[in-house]
Amino acid sequence: QLQLQESGPGLVKPSEPLSLTCTVSGGSIGSSSFYWGWIRQPPGKGLEWIGSIYYSGSTFYNPSLKSRVTISVDSSKNEFSLKVTSVTAAETAMYYCARGGILTGDYALFDDWGQGILVTVSS
Amino acid sequence: DMQLTQSPSSLSASVGDRVTITCRASQGIRNDLGWYQQKPGKAPKRLIFAASRLDSGVPSRFSGSGSGTEFTLTISSLQPEDFATYYCLQHNSYPPTFGQGTKVEIK
C-alpha cells in the first residue's frame, strides 16, 4: 500500500525559505508514471494547490507562487521536495504531499495523501 | 483562476438523511472534477473522480453527478462517520482549484 510522509522543520522565520520532503513507500516514484504534488491548508481554511511534478521532473506550479516555488524529485531516494522562498506569516499552514494521476490533465487529481506537516512561519 | 463555488457552506443533518452538496464552476470543465472528504486533523480523502466515478472502497451511498459547470455530491443515507467537510476540486483549467468546502454537521 502506497504511503507518503512529509518531513521538515515545523517552524520557519519570516523571509526565510521553507523546505519540505515527501518520502514515498510502497511504490517507486522512478518506475511509475505518476505526478506528485504539494497542497497546503492554512488553519481553519480551505485547500490550495502549490504545484506538481512528473516522475521525469517536469513541473507545474501555481502562478500565485510560481516565482518562489521549486519542486524537485529524487528517484534514487524515492522522495520529492518542496522549497518556497521568502515566506510570510500568511503561509503558516498544514502542508500535504500527494500522488496525482498518470495523464498530463490529471496532474492535480490527487488520490493518496500524506498525513500533513504543520509549518508555522514566525520569528 | 477558475472559481468553484460550493453550496451550502455548511449544513446540519441527521443520521439517515439524504444530503446533496453542489459545486458550480465559473466556466465549463467537462467532467474534470473530484470530491474529497476531510475529517478534523486528517488529510483529505478522495471519494469521487471524473465527476461520477467512485473511488475503490468508498461506500455506495456516495454518488456524484454533473458535467460542464454544475456538479453534485449526494450521500443517500448519512452515517455517523460521514460528518466531515467536503471539497470539490477542478483539474481542467490551470491552475487547479478547490471549492471553499461544505461542512456537514450533526443535527
Side-chain angles (χ1 to χ4, degrees):
Chain A
Q1 182 171 345
L2 189 75
Q3 291 189 319
L4 298 91
Q5 179 69 58
E6 304 88 350
S7 60
L11 180 64
V12 179
K13 289 183 169 57
S15 81
E16 294 192 349
L18 176 161
S19 294
L20 298 174
T21 296
C22 181
T23 302
V24 178
S25 58
S28 171
I29 288 180
S31 61
S32 61
S33 304
F34 287 99
Y35 283 87
W36 306 86
W38 290 94
I39 307 96
R40 67 184 181 183
Q41 184 174 37
K45 296 189 177 181
L47 298 158
E48 179 185 35
W49 172 74
I50 298 172
S52 296
I53 188 165
Y54 197 42
Y55 78 105
S56 61
S58 60
T59 52
F60 293 90
Y61 297 131
N62 193 319
S64 68
L65 298 163
K66 192 171 184 177
S67 62
R68 299 191 294 121
V69 170
T70 303
I71 297 175
S72 59
V73 63
D74 187 336
S75 298
S76 67
K77 295 182 179 179
N78 221 37
E79 61 187 32
F80 59 105
S81 300
L82 169 71
K83 184 176 181 179
V84 183
T85 59
S86 303
V87 295
T88 68
E91 296 180 280
T92 292
M94 185 71 79
Y95 285 75
Y96 295 102
C97 62
R99 187 181 72 173
I102 295 174
L103 303 177
T104 300
D106 295 343
Y107 62 84
L109 185 59
F110 302 112
D111 53 5
D112 289 308
W113 296 56
Q115 64 184 24
I117 183 169
L118 179 62
V119 178
T120 300
V121 180
S122 175
S123 55
Chain B
D1 294 0
M2 168 75 64
Q3 300 299 316
L4 289 181
T5 303
Q6 288 184 233
S7 60
S9 295
S10 64
L11 65 91
S12 295
S14 301
V15 172
D17 283 353
R18 182 181 182 88
V19 168
T20 299
I21 299 168
T22 298
C23 179
R24 289 188 175 87
S26 56
Q27 301 171 39
I29 57 170
R30 301 186 305 182
N31 68 338
D32 296 328
L33 186 113
W35 287 99
Y36 292 81
Q37 176 194 66
Q38 187 178 33
K39 296 182 179 180
K42 299 293 186 182
K45 172 189 175 183
R46 197 177 72 184
L47 303 174
I48 286 170
F49 64 99
S52 61
R53 297 182 64 179
L54 210 62
D55 268 284
S56 175
V58 174
S60 58
R61 62 180 180 272
F62 290 93
S63 64
S65 64
S67 183
T69 61
E70 187 153 334
F71 303 84
T72 59
L73 172 70
T74 299
I75 309 172
S76 60
S77 177
L78 198 65
Q79 296 303 299
E81 60 268 31
D82 301 337
F83 291 96
T85 300
Y86 294 84
Y87 294 92
C88 53
L89 160 72
Q90 71 81 20
H91 58 99
N92 176 275
S93 174
Y94 172 79
T97 48
F98 291 88
Q100 84 278 15
T102 296
K103 188 173 184 179
V104 177
E105 298 177 300
I106 301 173
K107 194 170 188 178

